[in-house]
Amino acid sequence: MQRRDHEAAEAPLPGAEPARIAALRLDAHAVLCVGGRPAAVPLYRHIVERVGGRFLHHDGGEEDSSARLDATLAAADLVICQTGCISHSAYWRVKDHCKRTGKRCVFVESPSSAGLKRALISLAPAMATPQTDEKP
């Protein structure tokens, strides 16, 4: 099973532009993944680190404390929240924190390596241009 997970990380996304994930560079941005299946966390780490990111993880309230979630959210540059496997409390903490701080966040319904890759691709513009409230 480990081999299949590693192959999934190397395989291009079906229906997506393989060049987009290959060209993505996180330049040491800290990417927090909240939730996900425990057995898949090493795969998520591999995907984020493969594109130059620094991987952070919180299990979404299964074993990790909510105080640790707050500290990890504060340390993250980008947040990927896998909503299908976290507590309601963790979901609302993530949503509130990102809204208050303007931190970029993507909510993924089903935890998977493909979902993580899609979330990284959707966050890519956030790394190229800083978020501002000003309009030209």
Side-chain angles (χ1 to χ4, degrees):
M1 186 140 130
Q2 291 284 348
R3 184 160 165 68
R4 277 179 68 191
D5 286 345
H6 180 70
E7 288 170 0
E10 298 296 328
L13 284 174
E17 297 175 41
R20 289 191 67 191
I21 192 74
L24 180 63
R25 297 302 320 153
L26 295 178
D27 297 327
H29 281 86
V31 178
L32 171 60
C33 181
V34 180
R37 290 172 290 200
V41 171
L43 175 59
Y44 301 152
R45 175 182 300 279
H46 173 77
I47 292 168
V48 170
E49 290 177 350
R50 187 171 134 209
V51 294
R54 206 165 34 91
F55 181 78
L56 305 173
H57 180 258
H58 188 281
D59 69 8
E62 296 298 316
E63 292 181 23
D64 295 335
S65 73
S66 59
R68 183 168 172 264
L69 177 57
D70 292 337
T72 310
L73 280 164
D77 297 311
L78 308 165
V79 180
I80 299 172
C81 184
Q82 301 195 56
T83 61
C85 51
I86 65 171
S87 70
H88 290 322
S89 174
Y91 171 86
W92 289 110
R93 282 176 108 82
V94 169
K95 188 167 184 154
D96 178 64
H97 176 87
C98 291
K99 185 176 182 178
R100 277 186 298 107
T101 63
K103 196 162 289 192
R104 299 293 177 135
C105 182
V106 174
F107 292 90
V108 178
E109 284 188 41
S110 301
S112 68
S113 61
L116 182 75
K117 288 178 185 179
R118 281 190 297 274
L120 286 171
I121 289 169
S122 73
L123 287 169
M127 294 173 282
T129 55
Q131 181 180 1
T132 63
D133 292 330
E134 297 175 20
K135 295 185 180 182

